[in-house]
Amino acid sequence: MDYFMAPGRNHLFVPGPSNIPQKVMQALNRGNEDHRSPAFPVFSRQLLADVTRIFSTQSGTPFIIPTTGTGGWECAAVNTLSTGDRVLTFVFGQFSHLWSQQLQKLHFDVDAVQCQWGGGVDLGVLDSKLRADEEHRIKAVCVVHNETSTGININLGVVRAILDLNQHPALLLVDGVSSIGALAFRMDEWKVDVALTGSQKSLGLPTGLGILCASPKALEASKSARSPRGFFDWSAYLKSYELGSYWPYTPSIQLLYGLRAALDLLFEEGLENVIKRHHRLAHATRLAVKAWGLELCVKDPELYSDTVTAVVVPSYLNSTDVVRVAWRKYNLSIGIGLNKVAGKVFRIGHLGFLNELQLISALAGVEMALKDVGFPVKLGSGVAAAQAYLQESTPLIPSRL
Ligand SMILES: Cc1ncc(COP(=O)(O)O)c(C=O)c1O
């Protein structure tokens, strides 16, 4: 069965991969070229400089690597740590769980603090673990900024404050896969040592680029870090930066042009406006969920994510059925629940290149799917709640003032 045989368009509302904007599609649609020509470094230098803007850093060094978010995790760890180093992680959803597991596979001494799924980093435990660690055996604290499986956004300013309060020198490694480029991310202010994202989320590109940024402290750590590393070794990239060639291996040329277009779109809209738009769409979604009489997976409003909303279904329903019927009947793709919350939550992704009316269509589809699976929803209730808020809060399109 051909997925694209359904008439009309697919409404892609999973929390990544996200919609690819037309301008990005066009930018991707080009042939190969000689990345060792004199023209390519000019393009690359600017691209690398510009990509740091989505991290809000002046001092960070970017790496654009052909990989995915999962590769980004590995890249961050093997460049800054040595085998056997103690690493503190917090597991509060599927991605923080997978990152912890990967760190174990890489033979780090992982202290994985199990937290509630639907909650965030246990800040009390963070504080007590750092305080007890007088010998500074913890070499890194790893935090998923936006836990895509539960719709949780962590306040990294508070995490940083706890590290500072304890005068603890551990590196702060942050997964920003479903936040960077959509939510406020202040690498310098929060003194994040390595931040990473993937191309297929907020940037609206195909999967295939891991985009990392390393602080001066992380670069310094990489000089003495002894984890075995080959493909992901930053030193090859740093050498090519010095040489002005920028790529140690053949880069993914089309994806780099796509990234150029994606960044241009973000800068044209203005990063502050991008963040505000994501907040508007997320708030509208949360209002719809409330109007349906359903609960969010996240209970604490301080932890609300503005890129993904995880919705809990009543125990007599299986959330996967909602996802299935939405796809089969309405050509609407929403996310299933993962691991511990499988069958219990479905997820509405509202990240990337997306506007108010697109969101309304997804909310309408979710409503119908809920009714299809036997949930007594009043059709139009969530849509109306979202509309009322969006009608009031949506600004004029800047180019059409
Ligand atoms: C927060 C987070 N981290 C990491 C990943 C893994 O990224 P990838 O699938 O690109 O390897 C994902 C994927 O959804 C994610 O949401």
Side-chain angles (χ1 to χ4, degrees):
M1 185 178 64
D2 186 343
Y3 170 72
F4 288 105
M5 282 306 284
R9 51 182 284 267
N10 170 252
H11 299 265
L12 185 60
F13 281 84
V14 292
S18 65
N19 295 285
I20 305 180
Q22 192 61 26
K23 275 196 179 171
V24 172
M25 293 257 213
Q26 281 160 352
L28 289 164
N29 185 14
R30 57 190 294 152
N32 276 330
E33 70 181 84
D34 177 12
H35 63 288
R36 301 194 199 284
S37 80
F40 209 71
V42 179
F43 165 76
S44 304
R45 188 183 314 120
Q46 194 60 48
L47 185 70
L48 283 158
D50 286 346
V51 84
T52 61
R53 287 176 60 186
I54 59 173
F55 295 86
S56 299
T57 179
Q58 302 290 326
S59 58
T61 299
F63 299 97
I64 304 176
I65 299 179
T67 185
T68 71
T70 305
W73 288 338
E74 180 160 344
C75 185
V78 297
N79 276 287
T80 54
L81 301 167
S82 299
T83 309
D85 274 355
R86 176 155 297 177
V87 175
L88 183 58
T89 69
F90 293 86
V91 178
F92 49 97
Q94 175 68 351
F95 296 100
S96 41
H97 163 66
L98 289 175
W99 193 9
S100 286
Q101 274 199 333
Q102 187 200 62
L103 291 163
Q104 275 160 14
K105 285 185 200 158
L106 292 168
H107 298 294
F108 298 112
D109 174 13
V110 182
D111 183 358
V113 180
Q114 301 299 322
C115 308
Q116 196 199 339
W117 286 42
V121 169
D122 190 326
L123 298 170
V125 174
L126 171 65
D127 186 44
S128 60
K129 295 251 180 202
L130 293 176
R131 189 169 315 155
D133 184 34
E134 285 171 7
E135 291 165 25
H136 294 164
R137 290 189 57 218
I138 298 170
K139 298 300 177 203
V141 175
C142 298
V143 178
V144 172
H145 183 212
N146 194 79
E147 178 49 77
T148 323
S149 61
T150 50
I152 301 283
N153 186 219
I154 300 301
N155 185 335
L156 289 173
V158 175
V159 172
R160 168 44 68 195
I162 294 173
L163 275 155
D164 285 354
L165 215 66
N166 286 287
Q167 297 184 346
H168 201 291
L171 295 165
L172 178 57
L173 309 185
V174 174
D175 168 332
V177 171
S178 58
S179 66
I180 292 169
L183 308 183
F185 194 88
R186 298 196 274 275
M187 180 164 177
D188 285 359
E189 187 185 319
W190 299 330
K191 289 181 271 172
V192 172
D193 290 300
V194 186
L196 64 103
T197 187
S199 48
Q200 77 277 20
K201 301 273 187 187
S202 312
L203 293 165
L205 288 159
T207 315
L209 295 179
I211 305 170
L212 294 90
C213 217
S215 72
K217 184 171 155 188
L219 287 188
E220 199 50 42
S222 74
K223 291 181 191 160
S224 53
R226 289 286 161 264
S227 290
R229 51 191 188 266
F231 179 70
F232 285 130
D233 196 344
W234 287 342
S235 66
Y237 281 83
L238 294 171
K239 199 164 164 206
S240 69
Y241 295 170
E242 265 173 40
L243 294 171
S245 59
Y246 296 102
W247 311 104
Y249 323 112
T250 316
S252 175
I253 289 158
Q254 289 76 8
L255 283 177
L256 295 181
Y257 280 106
L259 176 60
R260 176 72 269 165
L263 292 177
D264 288 344
L265 282 173
L266 289 181
F267 300 156
E268 254 170 53
E269 184 178 356
L271 288 172
E272 282 307 310
N273 292 332
V274 170
I275 293 165
K276 282 186 197 154
R277 175 168 54 81
H278 279 86
H279 178 69
R280 259 197 324 277
L281 298 178
H283 189 67
T285 306
R286 292 190 286 263
L287 288 173
V289 173
K290 196 166 170 219
W292 295 331
L294 290 173
E295 300 275 322
L296 299 173
C297 184
V298 49
K299 300 291 172 250
D300 179 356
E302 298 271 312
L303 297 173
Y304 283 172
S305 163
D306 280 350
T307 54
V308 51
T309 300
V311 184
V312 181
V313 298
S315 56
Y316 63 88
L317 292 177
N318 183 336
S319 63
T320 308
D321 293 339
V322 182
V323 177
R324 290 280 170 268
V325 76
W327 187 75
R328 295 178 73 188
K329 219 171 154 183
Y330 309 114
N331 205 5
L332 167 66
S333 300
I334 51 176
I336 55 168
L338 299 170
N339 197 338
K340 277 193 191 179
V341 290
K344 297 181 180 153
V345 311
F346 64 86
R347 296 171 300 148
I348 305 173
H350 30 76
L351 75 170
F353 202 67
L354 184 81
N355 65 27
E356 287 74 12
L357 291 190
Q358 282 173 283
L359 181 74
I360 291 287
S361 71
L363 298 177
V366 172
E367 261 174 25
M368 292 192 285
L370 283 168
K371 193 149 179 111
D372 285 327
V373 300
F375 180 68
V377 68
K378 181 168 180 285
L379 287 180
S381 58
V383 167
Q387 274 178 320
Y389 165 70
L390 291 173
Q391 183 270 323
E392 293 254 307
S393 62
T394 306
L396 292 176
I397 298 165
S399 62
R400 300 182 187 176
L401 290 177

